[in-house]
Amino acid sequence: MIDKILERAVAGERLGLEDGLALFESDQVEKIGHAANQVMQKWHPDPITTFVIGRNINYTNVCDTYCRFCAFYRPPGSKEGYVLPTEQILAKIQETVDVGGTEILMQGGTNPDLPFEYYLDLLREIKKHFPKIQMHSFSTAEVAKMAQVSGLSIEQTLIELKKAGLDSLPGAGGEILDDRTRRKISRLKGSWTEWIDIQKAAHRVGMHGTATMVIGFGEEMEERVLSLMRIREAQDETKGFKAFITWTFQPENTNMKAVNNTPEEYLKTLAISRLMLDNIANFQSSWVTVGPDFGKLSLSYGANDFGSTMMEENVVSAAACTHKVNTNLILDLIRQAGKIPAQRNTNYEILRVFKEGEMAETDFVMQN
């Protein structure tokens, strides 16, 4: 039933809503994965799998969006709420640079107590000490909160952030780009159109980004396909998404139960995403949520990138998800998948190809 759909996708034909639904309804996961791998190889004919050495820094956990699926945030006024001192953030970045890191994914909550100048001053201070570090930071929800507290437009907010040192905008907050599920999991978070609009605004002012999708909230398969089509439409317009990442909702310590968020469902969703998103070059593995072994397997289901080493990770870990790797384990996993590992930067430019048996000179233990 799906053979013709897969043949069309591999031939470069764009798939539609009915095609995507048929693929999600199918149980032929290996066949879908094989087609996705063929499409990936058209984008990336060399057997190289990239990764970036980076760190997640959660500068605050105070948030007034109250997402039901988040185990990390604390409400304003909570005794467990924090804002990291700038000196501590700089020390974390120094540790990252010391092991060859190039990317900082700095995110927190929508903290109503932080003025816009806090973010600008922090970015300026970081760039003063580390001018070459890539600040791939904040989320669309954080940008919306900054615009709210500053009184600036979204676009002007992004312009000021860019001038202060923000280099690119991650895809955090995408979850499912359909308001039926968004209202269920986070009624105070912006609509799917707001997420798309802020991402496109970032692209217009010269910052690229990534697109994301989280599965396992109990969303309809139509919502997954619509999410992919909406990302694809935005990419047609701006060409600003460097990569796509999908991962599974982690329910522990949250207010929600997970629905159909197995590693097998992750692989299926990854493969269908590669087939639907015909205008995005790079797909990251999500080893943090599905584990290193399925992360390795994802390299046969459409992924060409192993994501970030994540020297530090707190948000997913708050939901009791404890998969951890270091640089040398990533090299080993990539080689086990029959690929050649290569370190990249946030722009997907290769910095170093690791020869057979070659290991990283410096390594780390993941923290949280």
Side-chain angles (χ1 to χ4, degrees), residues 61-118:
N61 66 344
V62 177
C63 187
D64 62 0
T65 302
Y66 312 118
C67 296
R68 291 178 60 207
F69 59 87
C70 181
F72 172 71
Y73 84 88
R74 295 296 180 269
S78 169
K79 292 180 180 179
E80 296 179 337
Y82 70 81
V83 177
L84 291 182
T86 299
E87 296 74 19
Q88 189 173 347
I89 293 174
L90 293 175
K92 288 174 179 287
I93 297 175
Q94 184 63 62
E95 290 172 359
T96 309
V97 171
D98 288 345
V99 295
T102 60
E103 177 183 283
I104 297 296
L105 198 153
M106 187 169 67
Q107 292 181 322
T110 54
N111 190 330
D113 301 323
L114 294 178
F116 188 40
E117 282 300 319
Y118 164 83

Side-chain angles (χ1 to χ4, degrees), residues 200-256:
K200 291 197 295 188
H203 302 168
R204 284 196 300 271
V205 304
M207 291 190 288
H208 68 77
T210 52
T212 60
M213 182 168 71
V214 183
I215 63 169
F217 297 120
E219 69 281 352
E220 300 291 334
M221 293 304 102
E222 182 183 20
E223 293 176 271
R224 291 190 194 177
V225 180
L226 287 173
S227 294
L228 297 171
M229 293 177 69
R230 287 161 177 168
I231 291 167
R232 188 174 69 188
E233 183 179 355
Q235 181 73 343
D236 279 344
E237 182 180 332
T238 67
K239 299 178 175 58
F241 292 123
K242 289 281 187 181
F244 174 81
I245 312 102
T246 187
W247 65 89
T248 54
F249 164 51
Q250 303 301 306
E252 287 79 6
N253 301 326
T254 74
N255 241 354
M256 293 183 63

Side-chain angles (χ1 to χ4, degrees), residues 50 210 242-243 282 284 304-305 344-350:
T50 51
T210 52
K242 289 281 187 181
N282 301 293
Q284 289 185 21
N304 65 289
D305 184 87
R344 63 164 172 88
N345 60 20
T346 313
N347 296 318
Y348 286 81
E349 298 164 335
I350 291 180

Side-chain angles (χ1 to χ4, degrees), residues 46-50 331 334-335 338-342 353-356:
D46 295 328
I48 288 177
T49 293
T50 51
L331 297 177
I334 290 172
R335 287 174 177 138
K339 306 285 186 176
I340 300 168
V353 177
F354 286 81
K355 299 174 183 176
E356 186 175 352

Side-chain angles (χ1 to χ4, degrees), residues 161-197:
L161 288 169
K162 186 173 187 289
K163 287 196 295 188
L166 182 63
D167 296 300
S168 52
L169 189 65
E175 281 93 48
I176 292 293
L177 295 180
D178 190 272
D179 289 340
R180 287 173 290 183
T181 290
R182 292 180 81 81
R183 282 193 295 267
K184 181 176 71 174
I185 64 177
S186 183
R187 63 183 180 84
L188 297 180
K189 188 174 278 189
S191 65
W192 74 264
T193 52
E194 181 178 277
W195 186 91
I196 287 284
D197 288 344

